[in-house]
Amino acid sequence: MGFVRAFTGALGGTFADQWLDYIMPRSDVPATAGLFEGVARGTNAGRGANTRGSANIISNGSRVIVPEGTALITMQEGAVTGLIAEPGGYTWESDDVNAKSVFAGDGILAATVSQAWDRFKFGGQPGAQHLAWYVNLKEIPNNRFGTQSEIYWDDAYLGAQVGAITRGTYTMKIVDPILFVKNFVPVKYLQANAPVFDFADMDNDAGAQLFNEVVGSLSAAFSNYTNDPAQGNRMSRIQSDQLGFAQSLSVAVEDAYQWKSGRGLEIERVAIKAIEYDEDTKALLADVKRADALSGARGNSFMQQSVARGMQAAGENPGGAGGGMGMAFMGMGMGAAGGVMGGMQQGVAGTPQTANIQGTPAGAQFDPMTGQPLQPQAQAVPAGAQFDPMTGQPLQAQPQAQPAAAAADSADDNPYAKLAVLQDLLNQGVLSQEDFDAQKAKLLG
C-alpha cells in the first residue's frame, strides 16, 4: 500500500501532460491557509469535463499532483496513511509491493518527516478510500499581534525595567506536516468536504490561540533580544532586525508553548509596526541619549569648549555680572583649571584621554584644549604668576609694566598722576564711572 512515483517536477514533462484526470489542490486557497482539500481535475469517467470533482477522496489507482511548496497527507479514520513532500506526480496503489508511504526526498523536511512518520504511521489493513489534504509549506504571512496595555521586561542596556505597547505581524512555516495535522488541526478540518484551515479566519479558534500565545510571549521575546550581547543589547534595533527578533520570539514561544516540537510550527520573520514606550521609559531613553551623545571623545571636546568659552567670557567682562567668579577662576591659574578638567576627564570611563593620563602625578597641570598633562617647567614659576589662557604656560613679566603700588607711591604728591591711575582702573572696569568722577572731583578740588 502506498504511492508510486510517476514523474518528478509537478506538472512537468510529457508524461504528466498525458494524464486526463488527477487530484491536485483547490485553486481558491488564500496565502494564509495551512491545510486544504485535494480535488479531482480532468474527466469524470467519460461523462464530460469535471473541474471540481469529488473532494479529497483517493481510491486505488488514483493519480495525484504535488505542487512546489505543498505536502500531501492521506488519512483513514484519523490515522496517517501516506505523506508526500517531494513535488511531482504519483499514483496510489494498495497492492503494489514497490509502493511507498513516505516521499520526503533529501530536503530540509526529510529527517523531520521520517521521525513523525515512525511516530504516527498507520498499522492496520488499508481500506478502499482515503481522504487527502494538502499542507502549505510556504511562509504563511500576515499573522497579526498586538498588546492592549504595556508589557514589561528587564533591559540590560538601560539597566532597568522598561515597558511598551507594541503591534506588528509575523510569518511562520509548517516545518512538520504530520505534527501539524495530528496535534494542532481541529477535527472539523479533517473530514470530507471540510472547510479550509485558514490562520487568518476570525472563526478559526486554533488561529486565535496562536495570536494569544504570541502576545503572551512578547515580554520574554523582548527580554531575549535586549539581553543578548549578539544583538547589541539595543531595543532600538528591533524594528529593523526582522530575523533577529524573529529568532528571539521563536525561542520564547517554543519555551512556553512548544510550537516546533509539539505542533510543527516555527516563526520565520517579524515586522514590528510600532512600539509606544510608557512615560517612565521615554524619560529614561532621553537621559540615555544625552549620556551617549556626551560620552567618549565627543564629551571631552564639548566639555573643553564649554570651559574655554566660559573663561573667554569672564576675561572679556571682568566687572560685569559673574565677573567676580570669572576673576576668581582666572586667579586660580590656567594650570589649576587644566587639572580640574583632567580630573573631570578621569571620570568619563572608556575615553581615549583616560588611558593617556594614567600614572600622572597628583597635582599635575593639564592642557585646557587637549586634556593632556603639561610637562613641568624647567624654570621656577613665581608665586602668583599669570598664565596664558590658551596654552596654560606662565606669562613673561612685562619690563615696562610697573606695579600698581609703586605707581601709587610715586604719585602721592601728583594729582594728575593719581588721576591717570584712576583712569586706568576705570578702563579695566575696577572702578565705576560714578566712583571715577567722585575721585576726580576730589583730586582736582
Side-chain angles (χ1 to χ4, degrees):
M1 164 186 83
F3 291 97
V4 177
R5 180 158 51 192
F7 59 87
T8 58
L11 299 178
T14 57
F15 185 52
D17 297 336
Q18 296 174 4
W19 284 15
L20 297 179
D21 54 338
Y22 49 86
I23 293 176
M24 70 175 301
R26 53 188 295 177
S27 59
D28 56 347
V29 177
T32 53
L35 183 76
F36 39 92
E37 62 189 359
V39 296
R41 303 287 175 166
T43 62
N44 185 10
R47 292 191 293 271
N50 177 14
T51 59
R52 180 62 172 82
S54 301
N56 59 332
I57 301 296
I58 292 182
S59 58
N60 192 33
S62 294
R63 289 171 285 194
V64 179
I65 296 293
V66 181
E68 291 278 0
T70 63
L72 178 80
I73 286 185
T74 60
M75 299 183 70
Q76 179 185 358
E77 298 176 357
V80 177
T81 57
L83 170 71
I84 302 177
E86 291 184 85
Y90 300 84
T91 302
W92 172 260
E93 300 288 352
S94 61
D95 52 0
D96 193 326
V97 294
N98 296 317
K100 296 171 57 178
S101 296
V102 177
F103 285 89
D106 298 326
I108 191 171
L109 289 178
T112 300
V113 166
S114 297
Q115 293 175 3
W117 173 254
D118 290 338
R119 181 178 174 184
F120 294 109
K121 63 185 177 181
F122 179 64
Q125 183 68 24
Q129 291 183 337
H130 293 75
L131 298 180
W133 288 273
Y134 287 90
V135 179
N136 186 4
L137 300 182
K138 298 179 180 179
E139 273 191 74
I140 300 174
N142 203 32
N143 300 282
R144 294 180 174 87
F145 66 85
T147 60
Q148 296 181 349
S149 59
E150 289 87 355
I151 58 173
Y152 293 91
W153 68 93
D154 293 329
D155 189 279
Y157 179 76
L158 298 178
Q161 186 181 74
V162 297
I165 296 175
T166 183
R167 62 183 181 274
T169 61
Y170 66 92
T171 66
M172 64 180 173
K173 291 184 74 173
I174 300 172
V175 295
D176 191 324
I178 297 179
L179 283 179
F180 173 69
V181 171
K182 292 290 293 184
N183 291 351
F184 189 67
V185 177
V187 175
K188 74 174 185 177
Y189 297 98
L190 299 176
Q191 301 174 358
N193 301 311
V196 174
F197 181 92
D198 188 355
F199 287 101
D201 185 359
M202 298 299 295
D203 295 328
N204 185 347
D205 293 336
Q209 178 65 26
L210 294 182
F211 170 87
N212 294 330
E213 291 177 0
V214 168
V215 172
S217 302
L218 285 174
S219 178
F222 277 106
S223 181
N224 290 343
Y225 190 93
T226 58
N227 290 282
D228 182 1
Q231 306 296 351
N233 299 129
R234 300 296 292 269
M235 64 180 176
S236 59
R237 299 177 182 174
I238 291 178
Q239 289 180 268
S240 60
D241 188 5
Q242 299 182 13
L243 294 178
F245 184 65
Q247 293 173 358
S248 298
L249 183 57
S250 182
V251 170
V253 297
E254 177 65 19
D255 291 343
Y257 303 105
Q258 292 76 53
W259 273 30
K260 185 175 182 179
S261 60
R263 299 169 177 172
L265 296 171
E266 188 171 39
I267 292 176
E268 290 289 310
R269 289 173 174 82
V270 178
I272 295 182
K273 294 182 178 180
I275 299 179
E276 301 171 6
Y277 302 110
D278 63 7
E279 295 302 322
D280 292 341
T281 303
K282 289 179 181 178
L284 182 60
L285 283 172
D287 292 340
V288 171
K289 286 181 181 179
R290 285 190 288 267
D292 286 348
L294 296 178
S295 64
R298 180 188 296 175
N300 286 335
S301 176
F302 179 81
M303 179 176 60
Q304 293 163 8
Q305 293 175 15
S306 298
V307 173
R309 285 194 296 266
M311 292 178 179
Q312 181 180 2
E316 291 175 352
N317 186 22
M325 181 180 295
M327 294 300 293
F329 191 79
M330 292 293 289
M332 292 170 59
M334 288 303 298
V340 171
M341 292 173 61
M344 293 172 69
Q345 290 167 344
Q346 285 181 324
V348 181
T351 61
Q353 288 82 355
T354 301
N356 293 335
I357 64 175
Q358 290 179 354
T360 304
Q365 298 176 354
F366 295 81
D367 190 309
M369 300 306 294
T370 66
Q372 303 300 315
L374 295 173
Q375 298 296 326
Q377 302 298 321
Q379 69 278 12
V381 179
Q386 300 295 319
F387 293 82
D388 190 309
M390 300 305 294
T391 66
Q393 303 298 320
L395 296 173
Q396 299 295 326
Q398 301 298 324
Q400 69 277 13
Q402 298 296 329
D409 292 342
S410 63
D412 285 342
D413 299 327
N414 188 342
Y416 295 101
K418 294 181 179 180
L419 186 61
V421 173
L422 293 174
Q423 181 67 45
D424 186 53
L425 293 175
L426 174 65
N427 293 337
Q428 295 181 21
V430 177
L431 291 179
S432 66
Q433 185 65 46
E434 292 78 6
D435 292 339
F436 174 79
D437 292 340
Q439 292 296 326
K440 176 181 177 181
K442 183 178 179 180
L443 288 173
L444 297 180

